[in-house]
């Protein structure tokens, strides 16, 4: 029987997705080349090579005529459209790239529709790839002699030995070597980190190998490799029975849920709307539970005193927040609302809960500022000085791990932490220390010291810079967070490791956020420095340890997708602390970071900028020379000499130097006013670069162009197209032409200034002449005869 109506609609949706796919930059429809069959007259050899030609319009017609008896037949025809193009065209050609992209879209869209059967993982037997491969195999078998029994045995032993070191990426053993399947008793705490001797870890001092640039393409086959590997990986078992709230009575549980449901932010928006919008049914992939769960359900259970222990209530609320985080996309407003409510819930269940009314300028986060706005403690006197450049050990007791809301956090784990500036973009940080505070007001409270990683929208970068998908950047900012700031555990891989595979449990599970890091970000100089040695970026406790973050390998390296700057993508303008800056002449980000500090001549040759003391001394000498030149010139001319460029001091406490402009006439406002003396020695400061780039600048000096007044819009009379002399000549010529036509027998050479001849009188008719004669002789007055 033919496919049913629901399957037919689903297949039509897949075809619409294929025909509406466009390229990223020029918005070119990718499916235009695959809508109709190849012209047989123009390309006769195509039909000799391709056994079963197919096109998208042909599949649509067959589907409309109910010719398909099985949905997989339609999938096979659509798959053949792109497999034929891949076989016939050269690899790397534009049509091959389009076919690869559309093939990946086909497989992805087909799998998203539950009414359609799962697609086959291999190509159809009628595809050109398999047909010609079978012919080639038969030809080779006929041309080559049969191997002997000894050769066959030797080849079998060699193949078995070569496959022993690592598992297949398409059929991964979910249990690492040396470990067993977890039992019910093992779920009480987070499993230990097992070693993986069958994976080449390469985490020592050896630099990671170079990888392709951001221009490398991500094709549909790569997406399939990633999906197949993650499909066979172990799943997260859920929250462990550790770190939960205690001593929560039934009334307190009900009050907490009501507070979450009714909380409104500073603008009066009720944030629980985002929680209530999540469906009660749980069908999100890679979640550790599948029972129905919603805010209304938890609220009704709390009011009915359904929860017998604090742990049961606390765990179900944590599952609700986890479900909402997986439902929304990171960076969206609903996602940020969920994280604000989760941080409020952590505060309400903490040992020192806040008192109503519940309001916080930091969205209940413990720190006053986040990435992009926070400054180091020693460089800022305001409230935004929250980070340091090294891990502090003062007034704290170091411990191996902290337990919070079912999570076990150890050194080198990556976390999502509450961001006071933008809750929708949580702070990504790696744990360097776990501690118990020894301060008087916080004695005994657990916390973590983390190194912050910046997102692309939290950095200043040129508009032309490309980023990996989900790329973050290591910084030199360290901050102390209480455990209430912890949202969830995440993972981050260095680029070379990310290309080769995915982390093994318990470092990462499918469904957890996974980031990739390729460079450091220096927020003082606003430059990116490529990381050559990942070992220098992780805590000392896990350096050169093979059990740190081993991977399940791919079949082949998979390059992440490349995306443009978040400030250029889409029409919606994001609000973030970063921005677009002009590209430097010699970007320091292109200079690779050395593996160590280095000493001697080799280290001196790789220095990126001069020492600051020497630079400050040279700048002071130039300023003194310019001041002397200004004093000498002011005695001989009333026009003030060009002022030396001032070194502006940033909030970090060091000077930012600008290049000296070439000598030229000073046309500044100060010079027009008579110099600094006429302005009572007023101070001159430079505009910050982020402000100066918004105005028009001189192409030679790169200085901002200032004008005394705004431009005046005046309607200007358009100038004549010809001169008055030429217009007079044309008028005289036209007058002469008119006179020549009225003159009989005119000859060349007549004077142009002579008067035109008189017009000839027209001869009278016979009737007119008779009337004139009768008037002259009085005959016109004779009465007519009487009849």
């Amino acid at each position: 029987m033919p496919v049913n109506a629901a399957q037919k609609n689903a297949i039509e949706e897949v075809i619409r997705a294929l025909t509406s796919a466009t390229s990223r930059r020029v918005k070119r429809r990718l499916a235009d080349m695959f809508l109709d069959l190849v012209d047989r007259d123009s390309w006769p050899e195509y039909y000799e090579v391709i056994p079963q030609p197919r096109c998208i319009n042909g599949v649509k017609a067959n589907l409309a005529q109910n010719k398909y008896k099985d949905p997989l037949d339609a999938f096979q025809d659509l798959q053949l459209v792109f497999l034929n193009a891949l076989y016939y065209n050269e690899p790397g050609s534009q049509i091959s790239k389009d076919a690869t992209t559309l093939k990946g879209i086909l497989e992805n869209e087909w799998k998203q529709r539950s009414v359609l059967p799962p697609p086959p993982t291999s190509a159809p037997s009628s595809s050109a790839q398999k047909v010609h491969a079978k012919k080639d195999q038969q030809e080779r078998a006929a041309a080559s002699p049969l191997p002997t029994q000894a050769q066959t045995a030797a080849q079998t032993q060699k193949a078995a030995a070569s496959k022993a070191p690592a598992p297949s990426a398409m059929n991964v053993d979910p249990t690492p070597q040396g470990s067993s399947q977890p039992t019910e008793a093992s779920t009480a705490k987070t499993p230990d980190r097992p070693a993986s001797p069958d994976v080449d870890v390469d985490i020592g001092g050896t630099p990671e190998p170079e990888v392709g640039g951001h221009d490398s393409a991500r094709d549909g086959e790569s997406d399939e490799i990633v999906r197949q590997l993650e499909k066979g990986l172990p799943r997260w078992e859920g929250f462990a029975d550790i770190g939960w709230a205690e001593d929560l009575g039934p009334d307190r549980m009900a009050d907490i849920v009501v507070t979450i449901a009714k909380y409104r932010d500073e603008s009066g928006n009720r944030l629980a709307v985002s929680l209530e919008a999540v469906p009660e049914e749980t069908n999100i992939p890679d979640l550790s539970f599948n029972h129905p769960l919603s805010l209304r359900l938890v609220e009704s259970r709390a009011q009915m005193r359904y929860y017998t222990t604090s742990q049961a209530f606390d765990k179900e609320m944590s599952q609700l927040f986890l479900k909402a985080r997986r439902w929304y996309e990171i960076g969206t407003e609903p996602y940020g609302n969920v994280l604000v409510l989760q941080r409020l819930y952590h505060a309400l269940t903490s040992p020192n809960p806040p008192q109503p009314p519940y309001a916080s300028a930091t969205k209940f986060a413990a720190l006053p500022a986040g990435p992009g706005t926070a400054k180091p403690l020693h460089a800022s006197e305001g409230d935004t000085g929250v980070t340091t450049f090294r891990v502090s050990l003062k007034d704290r007791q170091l411990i191996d791990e902290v337990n919070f809301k079912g999570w076990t956090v150890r050194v080198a784990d990556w976390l999502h932490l509450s961001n006071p500036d933008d809750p929708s973009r949580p702070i990504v940080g790696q744990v360097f220390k776990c501690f118990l505070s020894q301060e008087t007001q916080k004695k005994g409270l657990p916390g973590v010291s983390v190194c912050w990683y910046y997102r692309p929208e939290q950095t200043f970068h040129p508009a032309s810079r490309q980023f990996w998908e989900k790329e973050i950047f290591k910084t030199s900012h360290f901050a102390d967070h209480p455990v209430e700031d912890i949202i969830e555990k995440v993972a981050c891989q260095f680029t070379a490791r990310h290309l080769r595979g995915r982390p093994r449990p318990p470092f990462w599970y499918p469904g957890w956020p996974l980031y990739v890091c390729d460079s450091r970000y220096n927020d003082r100089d606003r430059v990116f420095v490529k990381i050559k040695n990942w070992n220098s970026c992780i805590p000392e406790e896990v350096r050169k340890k093979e059990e740190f973050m081993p991977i399940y390998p791919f079949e082949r390296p998979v390059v992440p997708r490349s995306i443009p700057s978040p400030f250029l993508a889409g029409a919606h303008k994001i609000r973030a602390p970063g921005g677009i800056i002009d590209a430097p002449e010699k970007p320091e980000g292109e200079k690779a970071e050395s593996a160590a500090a280095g000493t001697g001549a080799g280290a001196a040759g790789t220095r990126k900028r001069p020492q600051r003391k020497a630079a400050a001394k040279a700048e002071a000498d130039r300023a003194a020379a310019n001041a002397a030149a200004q004093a000498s010139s002011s005695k001989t001319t009333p026009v003030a000499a060009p002022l030396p460029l001032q070194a502006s001091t940033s909030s970090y406490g060091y000077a930012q130097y600008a290049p000296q402009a070439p000598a030229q006439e000073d046309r500044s406002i100060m010079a027009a006013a008579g110099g600094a003396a006429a302005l009572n020695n007023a101070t001159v400061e430079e505009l910050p670069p982020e402000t100066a780039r918004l105005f028009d600048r001189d192409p030679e000096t790169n200085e901002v162009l200032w004008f005394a007044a705004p431009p005046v819009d005046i309607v200007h009379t358009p100038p004549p197209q010809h001169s008055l002399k030429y217009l007079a000549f044309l008028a005289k010529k036209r007058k002469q032409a008119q006179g020549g036509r009225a003159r009989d027998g005119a000859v060349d050479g007549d004077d142009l200034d002579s008067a035109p001849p008189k017009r000839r009188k027209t001869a009278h008719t016979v009737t007119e002449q008779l009337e004139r004669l009768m008037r002259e002789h009085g005959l016109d007055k004779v009465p007519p005869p009487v009849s």
Side-chain angles (χ1 to χ4, degrees):
M1 58 179 297
V3 297
N4 56 44
Q7 292 174 338
K8 183 177 180 180
N9 293 334
I11 297 174
E12 290 176 349
E13 292 177 358
V14 172
I15 295 177
R16 282 196 295 270
L18 292 172
T19 55
S20 60
T22 59
S23 59
R24 182 177 303 175
R25 296 183 178 178
V26 297
K27 300 302 180 184
R28 174 181 55 84
R29 285 210 317 170
L30 302 180
D32 287 346
M33 294 292 294
F34 308 95
L35 295 178
D36 300 313
L37 289 175
V38 177
D39 187 8
R40 186 182 294 270
D41 296 333
S42 301
W43 303 93
E45 66 277 5
Y46 178 86
Y47 291 88
E48 298 176 2
V49 176
I50 302 301
Q52 291 191 2
R54 293 290 186 274
C55 65
I56 296 178
N57 286 338
V59 177
K60 291 173 62 177
N62 293 338
L63 184 65
Q65 298 173 9
N66 297 324
K67 291 186 177 181
Y68 291 114
K69 303 302 181 182
D70 190 338
L72 292 179
D73 294 340
F75 177 84
Q76 177 176 324
D77 283 356
L78 289 173
Q79 191 179 28
L80 283 175
V81 174
F82 311 120
L83 290 177
N84 293 341
L86 290 173
Y87 185 84
Y88 186 78
N89 296 277
E90 292 291 336
S93 61
Q94 187 61 51
I95 192 171
S96 295
K97 294 179 181 179
D98 295 345
T100 303
T101 303
L102 292 174
K103 181 174 176 292
I105 294 176
L106 168 64
E107 296 170 353
N108 187 33
E109 294 290 336
W110 191 279
K111 292 179 180 179
Q112 290 180 4
R113 287 157 178 81
S114 57
V115 297
L116 298 176
T121 57
S122 61
S125 57
S126 59
S127 63
Q129 287 83 351
K130 288 196 173 182
V131 171
H132 291 284
K134 189 179 298 183
K135 291 181 180 179
D136 295 342
Q137 184 177 3
Q138 295 174 354
E139 293 175 358
R140 287 194 300 268
S144 59
L146 295 175
T148 62
Q149 185 176 3
Q151 292 175 343
T152 305
Q155 292 177 357
T156 304
Q157 294 177 359
K158 183 178 180 181
S162 63
K163 294 180 180 179
S168 173
M170 302 298 293
N171 187 15
V172 180
D173 182 11
T175 306
Q177 292 187 2
S179 62
S180 59
Q181 293 289 347
T183 60
E184 294 182 359
S186 65
T187 60
K189 77 174 198 176
T190 303
D192 295 332
R193 297 171 175 173
S196 301
D198 56 341
V199 177
D200 183 13
V201 178
D202 192 19
I203 193 60
T206 305
E208 296 279 5
E210 293 289 341
V211 298
H214 285 77
D215 295 334
S216 301
R218 173 74 172 262
D219 52 12
E221 185 179 356
S222 298
D223 293 336
E224 182 63 25
I225 291 175
V226 175
R227 282 193 295 266
Q228 289 294 336
L229 176 64
E230 294 182 356
K231 184 178 179 180
L233 296 183
R235 262 39 186 181
W236 183 46
E237 298 177 358
F239 295 108
D241 297 332
I242 48 177
W244 299 108
E246 299 178 355
D247 302 330
L248 294 179
D251 295 336
R252 179 59 178 166
M253 297 178 191
D255 291 342
I256 290 176
V257 179
V258 171
T259 301
I260 296 296
K262 295 184 177 181
Y263 172 75
R264 296 180 180 271
D265 60 5
E266 299 85 352
S267 302
N269 301 320
R270 195 171 70 89
L271 305 187
V273 174
S274 301
L275 272 178
E276 296 169 350
V278 180
E280 186 171 310
E281 294 77 13
T282 303
N283 52 8
I284 303 175
D286 301 323
L287 276 184
S288 59
F289 60 93
N290 55 10
H291 57 267
L293 187 60
S294 64
L295 179 62
R296 183 174 300 177
L297 183 61
V298 174
E299 183 177 3
S300 62
R301 289 177 176 177
Q303 293 175 352
M304 296 171 57
R305 300 175 180 268
Y306 170 82
Y307 303 104
T308 57
T309 61
S310 300
Q311 175 179 337
F313 168 76
D314 198 8
K315 186 174 184 178
E316 193 152 73
M317 285 295 294
S318 298
Q319 289 177 339
L320 175 62
F321 289 120
L322 172 63
K323 178 180 177 180
R325 292 197 307 270
R326 298 295 182 264
W327 180 259
Y328 295 112
E329 184 178 355
I330 296 179
T332 60
E333 183 178 357
Y335 182 87
N337 295 339
V338 171
L339 264 59
V340 172
L341 294 178
Q342 180 178 353
R343 185 60 182 87
L344 173 60
Y345 173 76
H346 289 175
L348 295 174
T349 56
S350 65
N352 300 316
Q355 300 299 323
Y358 302 106
S360 174
T362 62
K363 311 297 188 298
F364 302 99
L367 302 185
T373 59
K375 301 297 187 296
L377 287 170
H378 71 276
S380 176
E381 299 178 357
D383 296 336
T384 56
V386 296
T387 63
T388 60
F389 290 140
R390 58 180 59 88
V391 178
S392 176
L393 302 178
K394 182 180 179 182
D395 296 332
R396 63 193 61 189
Q397 175 187 350
L398 299 182
I399 55 179
D400 294 333
E401 62 183 33
V402 294
N403 300 317
F404 181 70
K405 303 294 184 186
W407 300 105
T408 297
V409 180
R410 301 186 179 98
V411 174
D413 285 340
W414 272 275
L415 303 173
H416 268 170
L417 303 158
S418 296
N419 187 347
D421 298 329
D422 187 358
S424 65
R425 294 175 174 84
I427 300 173
V428 181
Q430 187 181 23
V431 179
F432 271 64
K433 298 294 180 183
C434 301
F435 63 86
L436 295 176
S437 178
Q438 300 298 314
E439 298 181 10
T440 304
Q441 299 179 351
K442 305 177 182 179
K443 189 173 181 62
L445 297 180
V448 290
S449 297
V450 302
C451 175
W452 281 358
Y453 283 68
Y454 279 18
R455 302 175 184 269
E457 58 268 27
Q458 295 165 347
T459 67
F460 287 89
H461 50 267
S464 59
R465 181 175 177 87
Q466 296 287 312
F467 298 93
W468 296 125
E469 188 178 24
K470 297 182 180 180
E471 184 176 7
I472 56 178
F473 304 94
K474 188 184 185 305
T475 69
S476 57
H477 291 272
F478 291 84
D480 296 334
H481 291 264
V483 291
E484 289 78 15
D485 271 353
I486 297 176
I487 296 172
E488 61 183 340
K489 293 177 69 172
V490 298
C492 176
Q493 290 182 293
F494 186 50
T495 310
R497 189 73 59 83
H498 188 70
L499 267 63
R500 299 204 303 265
R502 290 294 178 262
R504 289 197 172 203
F507 298 97
W508 181 78
Y509 292 91
W512 286 17
L514 179 62
Y515 296 94
V516 56
C517 180
D518 187 64
S519 305
R520 298 177 185 264
Y521 175 66
N522 187 337
D523 58 337
R524 296 175 296 177
D525 298 334
R526 295 178 176 175
V527 295
F528 299 86
V529 181
K530 183 177 177 60
I531 298 175
K532 280 295 186 180
N533 185 12
W534 185 242
N535 190 32
S536 63
C537 301
I538 60 178
E540 296 180 358
E541 290 83 348
V542 295
R543 293 179 183 175
K544 300 183 180 181
K545 288 188 177 181
E546 294 186 354
E547 64 270 16
F548 176 68
M549 218 164 192
I551 62 173
Y552 286 115
F554 292 135
E555 290 181 352
R556 60 170 176 80
V558 175
V559 180
R561 287 185 176 88
S562 180
I563 58 176
S565 168
F567 298 101
L568 302 178
H572 179 67
K573 183 178 181 181
I574 66 172
R575 299 177 58 184
I580 299 294
I581 60 174
D582 295 335
E585 295 181 0
K586 294 181 180 180
E588 294 187 6
E590 296 179 359
K591 300 179 181 179
E593 175 194 24
S594 58
T599 57
T606 59
R607 185 178 296 277
K608 297 181 179 65
R609 59 176 179 267
Q611 295 183 358
R612 290 180 180 171
K613 292 183 178 180
K617 184 177 183 302
E619 183 66 21
D621 294 341
R622 287 195 296 268
N626 290 335
Q630 177 185 359
S632 61
S633 61
S634 61
K635 297 179 181 179
T636 58
T637 176
V639 180
L643 294 176
L645 295 178
Q646 303 293 328
S648 60
T649 304
S650 69
S651 58
Y652 292 98
Y654 67 91
Q656 300 174 345
Y657 300 102
Q660 293 292 327
Q664 59 182 0
E665 180 185 0
D666 188 2
R667 302 181 61 185
S668 62
I669 297 178
M670 179 172 289
L679 298 177
N680 296 325
N681 296 321
T683 304
V684 179
E685 295 183 357
E686 286 186 349
L687 287 176
E690 58 269 19
T691 303
R693 68 181 178 84
L694 301 176
F695 298 91
D696 293 336
R697 285 162 290 173
D698 188 285
E700 296 181 357
T701 64
N702 201 33
E703 294 179 351
V704 175
L705 297 177
W706 296 93
F707 300 94
V712 180
D713 294 333
I714 300 177
V715 179
H716 298 280
T717 303
Q721 297 182 353
H722 306 290
S723 65
L724 294 177
K725 185 177 180 180
Y726 180 70
L727 294 175
F729 169 75
L730 292 179
K732 188 180 295 185
K733 188 174 181 180
R734 284 195 296 269
K735 189 175 181 180
Q736 176 189 359
Q738 294 174 358
R741 286 193 300 268
R743 193 186 313 145
D744 291 335
V747 295
D748 295 338
D750 289 346
D751 187 6
L752 295 178
D753 295 333
S754 61
K758 294 181 180 182
R759 181 178 297 179
R760 286 185 176 185
K761 293 183 179 181
T762 306
H764 297 286
T765 62
V766 175
T767 304
E768 292 176 346
Q769 293 179 2
L770 288 175
E771 290 178 352
R772 182 175 59 82
L773 292 173
M774 291 177 68
R775 284 195 300 269
E776 291 179 356
H777 297 281
L779 298 177
D780 56 339
K781 297 179 180 180
V782 178
V786 179
S787 58

